[in-house]
Amino acid sequence: MKFSLKRWWRRLMARRQAQLILASLGPRLGLNLSQCQELLDLHAFFFPEKMARWTERVALYRLAAGLPPGACVVEIGSWVGVGTAYLGCGLRSGSGGRIYAVDTFLGTTLNPQSQVAWQRSVDRLGGSSLPSFLSNIERFGLKNVVTPLAEDSLSAARQWPGTPIDLLFIDGDHVYEAVKQDYQSWKPYVRPGGLLVFHDYDDRHPGVQSVVNEVLATDLAGRETEAVDSLLAIRL
């Protein structure tokens, strides 16, 4: 009972903090009352998750909500589905569509220094993050919106049927080689005018930063960009 009460209190504080953030962001977000309510529900449920700032999650929700009818979203790196839930709820609150969540759900990484930590996280989840992912997706009623693709990014790209992608979110393995492979494998499917979104574009993630800086200086030079903390959206 003591633990439950503590958790309830933390959820309440997280919700109040989120309300203050939404109020400070103001009407420039372009979200209606029900969308703001849903964002608060998402934040209250996922408050222990520290893998992204909430402002970045709000940005994902907003970008998904603004996509055209029947939009196709591909997320590279889904883990337990927190970002997926924000994208899915945003998409559903807008004009609808489908999300394809690409992840091995095994904590796969090319970085030997972080392999042990990821393996421990996977072990704590029972050997795969997929059950937690599915539980979180079901919690927000997104089973008809989200399709998990339990494989590595390159394999999924090779089997992609060619459906034009409206929003490509790259948040998988942050090693330079992996980020570059994700970009090169999936970017050709993003439709003209679509969005390419990178997470963790900051000094703490040099692999992501290097790839993004390279593409912005070459084939994506001059493209319109929007940054929210370490989230960078590029309009193609």
Side-chain angles (χ1 to χ4, degrees), residues 17-36:
Q17 181 186 38
Q19 287 174 322
L20 291 174
I21 293 173
L22 279 180
S24 68
L25 292 174
R28 65 185 177 88
L29 288 176
L31 300 175
N32 60 41
L33 207 57
S34 64
Q35 289 172 321
C36 289

Side-chain angles (χ1 to χ4, degrees), residues 3-235:
F3 173 78
S4 298
L5 181 61
K6 181 179 179 181
R7 187 173 181 84
W8 172 84
W9 179 255
R10 290 179 63 194
R11 286 186 185 276
L12 179 62
M13 290 300 99
R15 190 180 186 88
R16 289 182 176 175
Q17 181 186 38
Q19 287 174 322
L20 291 174
I21 293 173
L22 279 180
S24 68
L25 292 174
R28 65 185 177 88
L29 288 176
L31 300 175
N32 60 41
L33 207 57
S34 64
Q35 289 172 321
C36 289
Q37 180 64 47
E38 188 167 55
L39 280 169
L40 293 174
D41 292 341
L42 284 160
H43 186 59
F45 184 76
F46 287 121
F47 75 91
E49 189 270 336
K50 306 298 182 184
M51 296 181 73
R53 299 177 181 91
W54 192 57
T55 49
E56 296 168 348
R57 299 300 191 201
V58 171
L60 283 179
Y61 182 101
R62 178 175 54 81
L63 290 173
L67 293 175
C72 174
V73 175
V74 172
E75 177 189 43
I76 310 300
S78 304
W79 190 230
V80 296
V82 182
T84 322
Y86 275 87
L87 284 166
C89 288
L91 191 63
R92 183 178 58 191
S93 78
S95 298
R98 178 158 291 276
I99 297 175
Y100 297 89
V102 180
D103 201 308
T104 63
F105 300 100
L106 300 174
T108 308
T109 177
L110 297 178
N111 185 351
Q113 295 178 338
S114 61
Q115 278 181 342
V116 174
W118 277 111
Q119 188 58 54
R120 287 174 181 165
S121 296
V122 171
D123 290 344
R124 284 195 294 268
L125 292 170
S128 169
S129 67
L130 183 57
S132 294
F133 172 92
L134 294 173
S135 176
N136 289 332
I137 293 308
E138 186 171 0
R139 165 66 177 74
F140 286 94
L142 295 170
K143 290 180 67 175
N144 294 328
V145 178
V146 177
T147 299
L149 301 179
E151 53 191 327
D152 65 84
S153 173
L154 183 58
S155 297
R158 286 172 173 166
Q159 299 174 61
W160 188 249
T163 307
I165 298 171
D166 295 278
L167 189 156
L168 172 63
F169 180 40
I170 297 180
D171 190 25
D173 191 354
H174 287 7
V175 176
Y176 172 87
E177 293 79 8
V179 181
K180 191 167 186 177
Q181 179 176 276
D182 289 342
Y183 171 75
Q184 292 178 333
S185 301
W186 288 96
K187 187 260 181 182
Y189 297 115
V190 182
R191 67 170 180 82
L195 289 168
L196 170 61
V197 184
F198 289 93
H199 187 225
D200 290 324
Y201 174 57
D202 56 26
D203 294 338
R204 296 184 302 113
H205 302 89
V208 178
Q209 193 174 57
S210 295
V211 172
V212 174
N213 287 343
E214 286 176 11
V215 300
L216 287 177
T218 53
D219 54 326
L220 298 186
R223 300 287 183 171
E224 175 189 347
T225 63
E226 177 188 349
V228 177
D229 293 320
S230 74
L231 194 80
L232 183 71
I234 307 169
R235 180 74 64 180

